[in-house]
Amino acid sequence: MDSSNRNPTTDEEDQPHLRRIGRISSHLIHTDGSDQHQLVPLPCARKPLKASVSALTEVMKGKHRDLQERIFDFFSSRPDLQTPIEILKDDHRELCMRQLSGIVRDAGIRPFQYVLDDPERYFAVLEAVGGVDMSLGIKMGVQYSLWGGSVINLGTQKHRDKYLDGIDSLEYLGCFAMTELHHGSNVQGLQTTATFDPITDEFIIDTPNDGAIKWWIGNAAVHGKFATVFAKLILPTEGGADMGVHAFIVPIRDLKTHQVLPGIEIHDCGHKIGLNGVDNGALRFRSVRIPRDNLLNRFGDVSPDGKYTSGLSTTNKRFAATLGELVGGRVGLAYSSVGVLKLAVTIAVRYSLLRQQFGPPKQPEISILDYQSQQHKLMPMLASTYAFHFATKYLVEKYSEMKKSHDEQVVGDVHSLSAGLKVYVTSYTAKSLSICREACGGHGYAAVNRFGSLRNDHDIFQTFEGDNTVLLQQVAGDLLKQYQEKFKGGTLTVTWNYLRESMNKYLSQPNPVIVRWEGEEHLRDPEFQLDAFRYRTSRLLQSAALRLRKHMKTLGGFGAWNRCLNHLLTLAESHIESVILAKFIDAVQSCPDKDTRAVLKLVCDLYALDRIWNDIGTYRNVDYVTPNKAKAIHKLREYLSFQVKGVARELVEAFDLPDDVTRAPIGLQSGAYAQDGSLTRAMGLFSIGLEQVQLQDNLKGLATQKRALHRLIQSVTDF
């Protein structure tokens, strides 16, 4: 046969070696004609890095750093508003109220105006006040983001005209009464009722049983005058129809006397693990009547004759729209949690640079950060802090865009992204606070060095504004929805765009060449790193979809979901890690200064390889990396930790946290721990302060304890 007429496909089928060469070539060269965006590998040669604190600070500081500095300067000038190490619950609550009042009335900063007009500025304020006292950050969030935000987002113009000025000025201190004793995450299961009475044109708010008592309501125990109460709207005129959960403004205390109003019972939730500057309380309603106009009626309204109208056709759609408008709380928690992590890492790294212990024989002791074990604890954490900074910065920008444009695609993107980042960042920060405490040894256990209070105050971030496990399931559900739309030819929203490519590219067999590449340049290539993250997510997504389909045949939808639950949680976490890395890479490649870009590239590489190594078993199980490549990843991860250690001081200085915020003697910019007895003097002043507190406590301690015991007994008796 003439060779010119031979079929090359037939040759490949007859000769396996040609088939293998063709497969390898297809991996190395794009043959589909697609014009894919290529990530640019940055130089990563092993040479000393030039880390400029001022240049790094310029990259890290937000657009509203000047506003944050105003807040720091205000509290620095007001020692009477600074939170002491030891403070009684009731005193802390009053101090927290004075701190909030000081910001608004003395410093002239009006956070509520930023909630209305400039969310990015509001979140900058939230981060700053959280650094002063986390209780203050939460109390401010309850007042403006939750109580004020519910009026803005769920109400209409009549509600804004009536309440916004009072909310802004703190005249109308309020609560957000959603959670009940028996229902937290399952908001649709709330039992509080709001029954319309057409004769008096009023709603009657009732707590039908003990399980329906509103619980953990911030601002309720002491300061709140109003509450946004979430309750089932009941229409007797429609045969007792339950129209689903709606929000109602309910006055709970007299505006002049501050006395609790008739029909309302308020009880104190008492001392908590942390955040004791926030006065959490329980609310019970006994046939409390409110005007019909107090229904926040953006998504549903009731006419004087009891007719219900809504632009949304079903209860589920109205419920989704209602909760969707409250996503700002999750954005704030994710952003604030990064601020807590920055603070903890700063204290731990500064201490580790200064603390010396052991060393070679007959030579000076060395810094504990020179030990590989300490680097292993803190350097990936420092890298993660930078990664989270850029990811949450992007989230805040998208949230601001959403509030201005109301674009449905952006709305959907922000809802899922805020849920995922809130979970991932708060969970990581909670674990890191304990690691930082341990890394600072005995000094880390001293209350004055902050880790205990930071850990206790932050711990609840994993629960409120959506339990982390529940929110991860929302992310997984959205991923599965996008997966389904991919195969139906639907469009994908912004955050999930890579799934379009991944369904084709990442679900094919791993590249037989790349799985063996072990070179540093390859491992530090952002394209390899993103591919690895996205490959894992895509494999998890495809296998989850197949498992759910299989189990639904025998277990039904709920049973199948529960059977695959841990798989789905892992899928959601994997996706969020991919988004975080993508935003970090974007930040690195957009950095204009060459030296600073090289430092950020180093930190980004450590973040990526640390995450890959932490889940190396998954990559090995699917032959995404060979054993030798896995070893190379581990070795490079250790080396990058060592390199980051060399610029750790500059990296934490770039967070630009003043000593008035850091406050821990072992973590001050001045290096108090190392300077001629400065730490001793600081601890001495702390001891004197404690003695003064203890003397005051001795005078009133017994009476306070008796009052607290009486209140506790009374609360139990009343309930």
Side-chain angles (χ1 to χ4, degrees):
M1 177 184 257
D2 186 349
S3 61
S4 63
N5 295 325
R6 294 178 66 186
N7 187 337
T9 304
T10 304
D11 277 352
E12 289 183 12
E13 291 173 352
D14 294 339
Q15 302 181 56
H17 67 279
L18 290 178
R19 225 173 31 247
R20 293 185 66 191
I21 291 172
R23 181 176 295 175
I24 291 171
S25 298
S26 71
H27 281 293
L28 294 175
I29 303 170
H30 290 300
T31 59
D32 59 359
S34 62
D35 182 19
Q36 298 186 24
H37 172 68
Q38 297 295 309
L39 296 170
V40 181
L42 295 175
C44 50
R46 296 188 175 187
K47 59 183 180 180
L49 292 171
K50 298 178 182 178
S52 164
V53 173
S54 59
L56 281 167
T57 302
E58 192 64 27
V59 172
M60 295 297 288
K61 75 177 184 181
K63 290 187 288 187
H64 305 295
R65 180 64 186 181
D66 57 333
L67 180 59
Q68 293 183 320
E69 288 176 352
R70 271 183 66 193
I71 293 170
F72 295 149
D73 290 343
F74 171 73
F75 281 100
S76 179
S77 69
R78 292 287 301 272
D80 60 305
L81 295 181
Q82 295 171 11
T83 307
I85 299 299
E86 286 197 5
I87 184 170
L88 296 172
K89 169 178 64 67
D90 291 346
D91 294 338
H92 195 180
R93 290 173 171 181
E94 291 310 312
L95 174 61
C96 198
M97 186 64 241
R98 288 193 290 113
Q99 289 172 333
L100 181 57
S101 178
I103 290 173
V104 174
R105 295 169 180 166
D106 299 338
I109 296 170
R110 308 304 282 259
F112 197 45
Q113 292 301 315
Y114 307 144
V115 173
L116 292 165
D117 305 324
D118 191 347
E120 289 183 63
R121 189 178 289 267
Y122 172 74
F123 289 123
V125 172
L126 197 64
E127 181 185 29
V129 300
V132 172
D133 187 331
M134 229 180 293
S135 287
L136 172 60
I138 298 303
K139 192 172 187 71
M140 190 181 86
V142 171
Q143 173 66 13
Y144 295 127
S145 183
L146 295 181
W147 154 234
S150 65
V151 175
I152 296 170
N153 297 315
L154 303 182
T156 50
Q157 191 59 46
K158 63 183 178 183
H159 301 110
R160 299 186 188 100
D161 292 342
K162 184 174 182 179
Y163 294 102
L164 260 54
D165 287 345
I167 294 172
D168 178 50
S169 67
L170 299 179
E171 182 183 355
Y172 293 171
L173 282 160
C175 317
F176 186 81
M178 178 180 282
T179 298
E180 294 179 356
L181 187 58
H182 284 179
H183 287 90
S185 299
N186 182 13
V187 179
Q188 281 187 298
L190 296 179
Q191 296 176 296
T192 302
T193 59
T195 305
F196 182 63
D197 182 352
I199 297 175
T200 60
D201 200 28
E202 294 174 320
F203 285 101
I204 305 169
I205 310 297
D206 257 315
T207 302
N209 55 63
D210 289 352
I213 295 170
K214 297 295 182 181
W215 205 264
W216 292 123
I217 309 305
N219 274 353
V222 179
H223 299 124
K225 297 178 180 178
F226 294 88
T228 294
V229 176
F230 288 80
K232 294 189 295 184
L233 196 163
I234 308 298
L235 292 178
T237 54
E238 301 289 338
D242 178 356
M243 308 308 296
V245 174
H246 288 64
F248 303 82
I249 295 177
V250 181
I252 59 174
R253 288 186 174 93
D254 187 276
L255 288 176
K256 295 181 179 179
T257 66
H258 204 63
Q259 294 298 308
V260 177
L261 293 174
I264 293 172
E265 298 175 9
I266 302 177
H267 301 272
D268 199 322
C269 288
H271 197 275
K272 307 183 292 290
I273 290 175
L275 296 178
N276 281 297
V278 182
D279 52 315
N280 294 90
L283 298 173
R284 184 170 205 150
F285 305 98
R286 298 187 186 276
S287 299
V288 176
R289 289 180 172 269
I290 59 172
R292 179 173 55 87
D293 279 350
N294 283 28
L295 166 65
L296 293 172
N297 62 337
R298 178 180 172 188
F299 298 116
D301 203 0
V302 176
S303 65
D305 61 354
K307 299 295 183 182
Y308 185 83
T309 57
S310 174
L312 301 171
S313 57
T314 67
T315 298
N316 284 340
K317 287 183 178 180
R318 292 192 293 271
F319 177 74
T322 297
L323 292 193
E325 286 297 326
L326 305 175
V327 72
R330 294 174 190 167
V331 177
L333 283 182
Y335 196 72
S336 298
S337 185
V338 179
V340 176
L341 185 58
K342 288 177 182 177
L343 182 53
V345 170
T346 297
I347 296 170
V349 168
R350 283 179 178 165
Y351 173 78
S352 298
L353 285 166
L354 293 171
R355 173 75 166 181
Q356 295 178 339
Q357 206 78 181
F358 304 109
K362 298 182 180 180
Q363 293 187 34
E365 292 184 308
I366 65 171
S367 159
I368 62 173
L369 198 55
D370 286 330
Y371 289 99
Q372 191 181 58
S373 58
Q374 194 79 345
Q375 294 166 20
H376 177 71
K377 290 176 183 176
L378 297 180
M379 295 304 96
M381 187 188 301
L382 178 55
S384 297
T385 308
Y386 269 73
F388 298 165
H389 168 86
F390 293 117
T392 54
K393 179 173 177 284
Y394 170 77
L395 173 61
V396 167
E397 290 169 353
K398 295 300 292 184
Y399 176 79
S400 298
E401 179 187 341
M402 180 194 80
K403 298 301 289 184
K404 294 173 184 175
S405 70
H406 301 287
D407 180 271
E408 287 188 11
Q409 184 168 308
V410 178
V411 169
D413 201 38
V414 169
H415 286 177
S416 294
L417 185 59
S418 63
L421 283 176
K422 184 266 185 186
V423 172
Y424 196 87
V425 173
T426 59
S427 296
Y428 187 91
T429 298
K431 295 180 180 74
S432 298
L433 287 165
S434 289
I435 293 171
C436 286
R437 203 294 305 157
E438 180 186 347
C440 293
H443 287 308
Y445 198 62
V448 72
N449 286 320
R450 307 281 315 276
F451 292 122
S453 60
L454 289 174
R455 183 172 56 190
N456 290 347
D457 285 347
H458 177 275
D459 193 61
I460 193 63
F461 280 39
Q462 300 173 93
T463 301
F464 59 25
E465 292 296 329
D467 175 83
N468 279 2
T469 302
V470 174
L471 292 183
L472 275 182
Q473 292 179 68
Q474 291 184 18
V475 176
D478 284 333
L479 279 166
L480 288 164
K481 179 181 177 182
Q482 296 295 328
Y483 179 88
Q484 184 182 38
E485 289 183 358
K486 159 68 185 174
F487 291 104
K488 287 183 177 179
T491 60
L492 298 179
T493 54
V494 180
T495 300
W496 326 93
N497 272 342
Y498 73 81
L499 290 177
R500 180 187 292 110
E501 179 184 351
S502 70
M503 292 301 105
N504 299 318
K505 178 179 178 182
Y506 300 123
L507 296 181
S508 61
Q509 288 298 313
N511 186 319
V513 174
I514 293 179
V515 296
R516 289 174 170 79
W517 283 355
E518 304 169 19
E520 179 178 339
E521 185 172 353
H522 164 66
L523 297 180
R524 296 185 66 180
D525 184 341
E527 187 163 3
F528 158 71
Q529 294 165 1
L530 266 179
D531 277 358
F533 277 48
R534 292 172 173 177
Y535 178 85
R536 177 184 57 171
T537 302
S538 299
R539 290 290 297 240
L540 287 165
L541 177 56
Q542 185 195 43
S543 57
L546 293 175
R547 286 187 66 200
L548 284 168
R549 189 177 304 156
K550 170 188 172 183
H551 290 303
M552 282 183 69
K553 296 176 182 177
T554 56
L555 301 176
F558 182 86
W561 187 270
N562 195 35
R563 175 67 65 87
C564 302
L565 185 54
N566 289 334
H567 186 156
L568 295 166
L569 299 179
T570 303
L571 164 64
E573 289 179 340
S574 176
H575 167 68
I576 293 302
E577 285 185 348
S578 299
V579 174
I580 293 170
L581 177 60
K583 295 308 159 190
F584 201 169
I585 290 172
D586 287 347
V588 172
Q589 299 198 343
S590 64
C591 179
D593 179 71
K594 180 181 178 182
D595 291 335
T596 304
R597 187 165 63 248
V599 173
L600 292 175
K601 175 70 167 64
L602 168 67
V603 177
C604 184
D605 290 341
L606 176 56
Y607 170 78
L609 294 178
D610 178 67
R611 291 306 190 278
I612 292 173
W613 176 252
N614 287 341
D615 200 20
I616 199 67
T618 295
Y619 293 107
R620 285 289 301 116
N621 287 341
V622 297
D623 293 324
Y624 192 79
V625 299
T626 62
N628 284 340
K629 185 169 185 175
K631 291 177 183 177
I633 290 171
H634 179 256
K635 183 178 179 181
L636 182 55
R637 169 180 170 270
E638 298 296 330
Y639 178 73
L640 294 180
S641 287
F642 170 75
Q643 278 202 310
V644 170
K645 185 267 297 185
V647 291
R649 183 189 68 81
E650 290 83 356
L651 288 168
V652 297
E653 294 299 324
F655 296 149
D656 200 19
L657 296 172
D659 284 349
D660 286 338
V661 172
T662 310
R663 296 204 297 277
I666 63 170
L668 300 181
Q669 284 178 314
S670 57
Y673 176 79
Q675 289 183 357
D676 299 329
S678 294
L679 179 63
T680 304
R681 288 197 298 274
M683 297 298 287
L685 291 172
F686 170 61
S687 298
I688 292 171
L690 281 185
E691 289 175 4
Q692 293 173 342
V693 170
Q694 288 164 358
L695 283 172
Q696 295 171 359
D697 288 351
N698 288 338
L699 294 175
K700 61 180 182 180
L702 185 59
T704 300
Q705 292 174 22
K706 286 182 177 179
R707 288 197 300 271
L709 181 60
H710 175 74
R711 284 197 300 269
L712 179 61
I713 294 171
Q714 189 63 41
S715 296
V716 173
T717 302
D718 290 347
F719 273 153

